[in-house]
Amino acid sequence: MTGQTLAGLKLVIAGVAAALLLAACGGGDDGAAEPASSQAVDRAESSGPLVLTALVWAPDWSEEMHRVADAFVRDHPDVRIDLQFMIGNSVEENLKPRAATDSLPDIISVNASPYTAELADQGMLADLGQTHAWNNLLDILQREWTAPGGRRYGIPSGIATTLIYYNRDMFERAGITAPPTDFEAFLATGAALRKAGFTPLALSGAFPNMLGNGPFSYGFANAVAANVPDWRARIADGSLQLDNPQGISIFSRLRTLVEQKMVQADCLRAGYDATLNQFAEGRVAMTFQGTWAAGVLMHGRGMRVGVFLPPWNDKGQPIRPVIGSETGFAVAQGSSARHREVAAQFLDFLYGPGMSIWQGKRQNIPPFRVIAGDVKGDRALFALVDEMTRDAARTNAPGLYYSLLPVNTIEVLHKQLQAVLAGSTMPAQAARAVQDSIAEQAGLAGK
């Protein structure tokens, strides 16, 4: 984006902010009169700083989120932001207890998932269609972040996929001339790397979120979704079958990585940051990670880094792309009108003037039609994901399958993935456990 365009973007953001403040003067939500109690809260808040509460999923950019919040407060001295960070293995396990008690913070991290869409349709999340960030969002992402009832409930941090990052120098020293294009070739690549004295692959075994976004999602894409076009409907009605060779293969390939000595020795103890560091410091040849970690992984210690699609496909079969959204942000509907309006202003700041603060570190792929000129990132990676996005659009490939499972099934899956990796559960048992959970959750939803 040119300097003139960026300046225009800032003017648009300023215009949106002014419009939102004018709307606050008029009161109400979507033209409806604000309840008297909420009007009283707004009047009380007008005499002192407005405090926004925020609960954010930022495992690798918490410092940058603090800097964005501080910059917003400098521009809005009548606002304070109480910023807290999610812990644990998923966004959903942080949201569930707060949603159950109707105590969501003003600003929250969310995924584009059936669970979050249901929260929106229940009236727990605000509509963000008036923000500049929403109106700059790619069409395919707008559809993904619109609930069945029509509420535009969130804005993603970026386009997301998981890829294999690899050390080009290690590949060359092992005599590997090209990245593998199927799972059999992937194992052969690992054998060549081991022979050359390298640890082939780093996995975050202690952080099952990445096992879900990585090996599970690509296993599901190539073994199940490729053969079951209506898999979304089958998850919804509980009829998806995983206790078959295709479903079992998702888990058996994860176990194969251990049996073939593909993964690092401390795989089961390695958390998210540890795995990033192992690759960035040149201690492993490959890692299975998200595009959101490109800023760390593409610039290791003097390393030449490449990326390729995870070859979880059978020989002779095409690799099915897995494209979706990064975790994004929503605004709680339960706050006062003024809270919602200022929270929306913060999101426009986060994705506008504040974006360079966090995107410069992460170097992830922005989710927007018009991208600022100061966006950082590896252009080869951007081009690969752009190609994947086009392929996904042509083949109607959906987003990251892992986040589209029922929220309680995600917790079951986490335990099964770690158990299979540890060898304490057989792949067939894990596949059946996940299948049973999907059926159970569909039954509960139907009551």
Side-chain angles (χ1 to χ4, degrees), residues 120-158:
D121 279 345
Q122 290 173 353
M124 300 183 71
L125 302 179
D127 190 301
L128 298 177
Q130 81 281 8
T131 62
H132 174 78
W134 174 269
N135 287 288
N136 192 26
L137 200 60
L138 292 167
D139 289 345
I140 189 172
L141 296 180
Q142 285 189 347
R143 292 193 294 272
E144 190 173 351
W145 288 81
T146 300
R151 184 160 295 198
R152 298 155 292 188
Y153 63 83
I155 301 168
S157 299

Side-chain angles (χ1 to χ4, degrees), residues 4 70 133 163 171 203 244-246 262 268 271 300-301 315 319 331 369 379 408 447:
Q4 289 180 331
D70 290 344
L163 300 168
F171 268 48
L203 280 183
N244 52 35
Q246 292 75 30
M262 289 285 291
L268 290 171
R301 297 180 179 177
K315 189 173 183 178
I319 301 178
V331 171
R369 300 186 187 103
R379 299 303 157 179
N408 290 332
K447 290 183 179 179

Side-chain angles (χ1 to χ4, degrees), residues 16 199 291 333 367:
V16 171
T199 298
T291 47
Q333 179 69 24

Side-chain angles (χ1 to χ4, degrees), residues 161-165 186 201-204 210-211 213-219 257 275-276 279 286-290 297 308-312:
T161 189
T162 48
L163 300 168
I164 304 293
Y165 293 79
F186 185 66
L201 179 70
L203 280 183
S204 302
M210 279 312 305
L211 299 178
N213 277 318
F216 177 82
S217 286
Y218 267 88
L257 298 179
T275 305
L276 296 181
F279 181 83
M286 298 181 287
T287 189
F288 202 150
Q289 255 294 347
L297 298 176
F308 60 89
L309 292 180
W312 254 238

Side-chain angles (χ1 to χ4, degrees), residues 176 185-198 200 260-262:
I176 302 166
F186 185 66
L187 296 178
T189 295
L193 288 165
R194 285 197 310 278
K195 185 176 180 181
F198 303 121
Q260 295 289 323
K261 295 181 170 55
M262 289 285 291

